[in-house]
Structure formats: structure tokens, C-alpha cells
Amino acid sequence: MGNNKKRLKLMFEKYTWNITNFSKVFSFQLFSDKFILDGQTWQIVITPIGSMDDYIDIYLEADKDCANVPEGWKKAANFSFAVTDQVNDKMTIRKGFEFEYSANDYSWGIDDFLPLQELKNPGSGFIVNDTCVIEAGIFFTKYVDENSEYQPVCKIDDNPTRDRNNPLFHKMFRSSYENVDQKFVPLLVEACLQHPSLVVSQEKRSCRFTEWAFSALGRVLHFLKTKTVKDIDDEACNHLQILWDELKTFGFDLTWLEFYVESALGAKDYMENIDEMRKNVSALKIETEKLKARLIERETKLEMSSKELMKAEKICENSIWMSKSGY
């Protein structure tokens, strides 16, 4: 019998919805075909299209008819939406969110996803040949057989023998995490949810390259997550610089991460500044104590001088009174 050894993989599945004849759509709500992601049946809902509202909203609804689940059943999932710029993918609008869906709470989405004026702007690439492309994706972890292969998942009721290049099919990207440290996985899920371009940038890479890429990203994220400013010394700085230089070779858009890495690399100088500030504060405290002692000494002298002055003034007053009284 074969070895059914399993491993945990971070998965990303997405469904691409091509809305043709977009300029002729005047419905308040528009529903996609039903599709399956992570074993659950869904529909994308966009609203409004033909109204006077300023923004387009995008929602993901679980199919209630297919949600044959026990009472109290819940499942948390990380989703992403994208309105694709068909001319320049870098201009594609992607947003993610986390949602716990259940039999009683089966719809969630993002309001004000994109201004309608921007969506319909002829100068943008959101509508090409009167077609708008919207994607819904889900991140999840799953135990799979080591040697299993993943097949594209097709639209509900679609013929699986159709051409797999047909746009009605799901485009599913899988990241192979066989050699990725499992403590990196939650950090990678969170990062990919907030920045879906991380996954998109690796879609055409080999599984081995993807493993290396996300392992490198995981190492940097884990470093930043587990280190505090006071932990950063010369050795830690050199280590992070090596990890960062390695990560930059994999083609990710790391603009969102640069600030945190640069802050960590500058932490040593920051700690040195703090040490200098501590020395300055300590010196100021000593000087202040000296000034306080001098102040007490001066206040004591002032009090004594004031008493002597009062005594002298009293003597003067007595002398004048005695001279006036004739004694």
C-alpha cells in the first residue's frame, strides 16, 4: 500500500468573474455564477451598478441551500477581492478581510470598494472591451497527501471536460509549503490577506521557487514579530540585512514592509540614542540634586537674614519710641 503521509499547506483559491457588456448592466445588484472555494459554494454580489451611488460594493455570499451544517457551526476564513486593471496589473485594486461565517451569518463584504467614477473612467484599465473582471479569493490551510496534484475547480454545473483556459473556470493558485517552517504560516496568511499581490506575484513560479520565496518572507516576518528594539544588536542587524537582501530577490512588492525593516535596522542606533539620553538624564538629575542642595542652603541663609533684619528693625523702632517718651 502507498504511503499516505500528509502535510499542512497554505492554500489560495480564487474565482474570476468576467462581467461582459458591462455598460448595459443596470441592475441594482448583480450576482455571479455559483462557484466553490474551500469546499463551500459561493456567489459574488456587487451593488450598485445602475444607481446614482458613488461607490461599488462587493460582497461574498455563502449558498444557504448548500450550507447543510449543524446548529452552531462556524468557520473563520480570510478573503480577498480584486477589481482587475486589465491594462496594468499594478493598478489592480485588491482588498482583504477576515470573516467568520455560519449558517446564520453567510454574507460579508466591503462597502465603498471603488468609486464608480474611477471604475468607469475610460483612462483606466478596469473596463476593457466593455468587460469588467472581478476576483474573489480565499486563504486557508489544509492537510493534503504529499504526492497529490491540485486540479482547477470549475464553476458549478460546468462541464469538467471543457477547455481549462475557459474564463469560466477557477484560476487556482497553490503555494507548496512542504519545506516552510509551520510557525511562519499564520504570519504568511495575515500578510497575504492584507497584500494579495504577494500571492499573485508567484502564480507563474514553480512550486520549489514559491517555497523558497515564502520561506524567505516568513523568516523576515518572524524576525520582526519576535524581536524587540532592545534585542537588536550588531549581530541581529547583520542577520536581518541578510534575510532582507535574500527576500528582495524573489520579486515581491515589498513597499508595505520596507518601513518595518528599516526601523528594525535602525533600532541599534535608536538604542544608542536612548543610552545617550539616559546618560543625559542621569547627569541632569545629579545637577538638579546639587541645585536643590544649594537652593536649600540659600533658603536657610535667606531665612536667617530675614530674622536678623526683623530683629534690627525692631531695635530701631524701640530706640525711636524711647527717644520720644523722654526716657
Side-chain angles (χ1 to χ4, degrees):
M1 295 180 65
N3 184 3
N4 291 326
K5 185 177 179 181
K6 294 181 179 293
R7 64 176 180 269
L8 187 67
K9 286 180 176 287
L10 175 64
M11 309 290 295
F12 175 71
E13 294 179 354
K14 72 178 180 181
Y15 172 73
T16 302
W17 181 19
N18 294 278
I19 308 174
T20 57
N21 299 317
F22 190 82
S23 62
K24 299 178 182 178
V25 176
F26 292 99
S27 301
F28 179 74
Q29 287 186 323
L30 190 63
F31 294 82
S32 72
D33 293 316
K34 294 181 180 181
F35 55 91
I36 296 176
L37 296 179
D38 189 22
Q40 173 66 47
T41 304
W42 306 92
Q43 272 187 304
I44 303 173
V45 183
I46 59 174
T47 179
I49 297 299
S51 74
M52 298 301 292
D53 285 15
D54 295 330
Y55 289 84
I56 183 173
D57 306 330
I58 306 181
Y59 289 84
L60 193 63
E61 288 190 357
D63 185 3
K64 301 187 293 296
D65 297 333
C66 296
N68 185 19
V69 295
E71 185 69 24
W73 176 87
K74 293 181 179 180
K75 183 173 181 180
N78 294 322
F79 297 98
S80 69
F81 289 132
V83 176
T84 303
D85 189 308
Q86 301 167 64
V87 177
N88 182 3
D89 186 63
K90 291 184 179 180
M91 301 302 293
T92 293
I93 305 299
R94 293 186 173 89
K95 298 180 182 180
F97 65 97
E98 185 173 1
F99 173 57
E100 185 176 72
Y101 58 90
S102 65
N104 298 321
D105 196 5
Y106 53 87
S107 177
W108 200 256
I110 301 177
D111 293 330
D112 299 341
F113 188 91
L114 180 66
L116 276 173
Q117 184 177 5
E118 183 177 347
L119 176 69
K120 297 179 178 181
N121 184 353
S124 73
F126 295 123
I127 300 177
V128 176
N129 295 327
D130 206 19
T131 298
C132 180
V133 179
I134 295 177
E135 294 177 357
I138 182 171
F139 300 89
F140 61 97
T141 55
K142 183 178 182 181
Y143 282 98
V144 299
D145 292 334
E146 286 236 340
N147 299 320
S148 65
E149 293 294 333
Y150 296 91
Q151 299 298 328
V153 183
C154 63
K155 179 173 66 69
I156 298 295
D157 299 329
D158 215 13
N159 186 343
T161 62
R162 287 188 181 181
D163 179 8
R164 296 198 183 280
N165 292 322
N166 191 305
L168 294 176
F169 276 77
H170 291 273
K171 295 178 181 179
M172 186 183 73
F173 171 73
R174 78 174 164 86
S175 299
S176 179
Y177 280 81
E178 179 180 3
N179 298 320
V180 175
D181 193 322
Q182 292 303 301
K183 66 176 175 283
F184 297 160
V185 171
L187 300 174
L188 292 170
V189 170
E190 182 180 357
C192 290
L193 173 64
Q194 297 298 324
H195 307 281
S197 63
L198 294 170
V199 174
V200 174
S201 67
Q202 302 299 316
E203 283 187 324
K204 297 181 181 180
R205 307 288 191 179
S206 67
C207 292
R208 180 63 64 186
F209 186 93
T210 301
E211 286 181 358
W212 293 338
F214 281 101
S215 291
L217 178 58
R219 284 190 286 271
V220 171
L221 294 176
H222 186 262
F223 183 99
L224 297 174
K225 186 74 172 181
T226 58
K227 298 292 185 182
T228 63
V229 173
K230 63 182 180 181
D231 295 328
I232 306 298
D233 53 17
D234 286 333
E235 182 179 356
C237 275
N238 292 336
H239 181 55
L240 176 57
Q241 187 65 61
I242 292 172
L243 296 179
W244 181 238
D245 290 341
E246 176 194 28
L247 178 59
K248 289 190 292 186
T249 66
F250 287 101
F252 290 121
D253 179 2
L254 299 171
T255 306
W256 59 277
L257 192 57
E258 287 177 352
F259 170 80
Y260 301 101
V261 173
E262 290 173 358
S263 297
L265 291 173
K268 181 175 176 292
D269 293 336
Y270 185 75
M271 288 301 298
E272 290 176 352
N273 289 336
I274 290 178
D275 289 339
E276 188 64 29
M277 291 170 67
R278 286 196 183 107
K279 292 177 182 179
N280 291 337
V281 169
S282 179
L284 287 170
K285 284 182 177 179
I286 294 172
E287 183 66 24
T288 300
E289 292 301 322
K290 291 180 179 179
L291 291 173
K292 285 181 179 179
R294 291 177 60 186
L295 178 61
I296 293 173
E297 180 183 356
R298 293 300 178 91
E299 286 179 342
T300 302
K301 289 183 178 180
L302 174 61
E303 185 177 359
M304 292 175 62
S305 297
S306 297
K307 288 180 178 179
E308 292 175 357
L309 175 61
M310 290 175 64
K311 186 184 296 184
E313 288 176 343
K314 189 172 184 180
I315 292 172
C316 290
E317 291 175 358
N318 288 339
S319 299
I320 294 172
W321 178 80
M322 292 176 63
S323 62
K324 285 184 179 180
S325 62
Y327 291 100

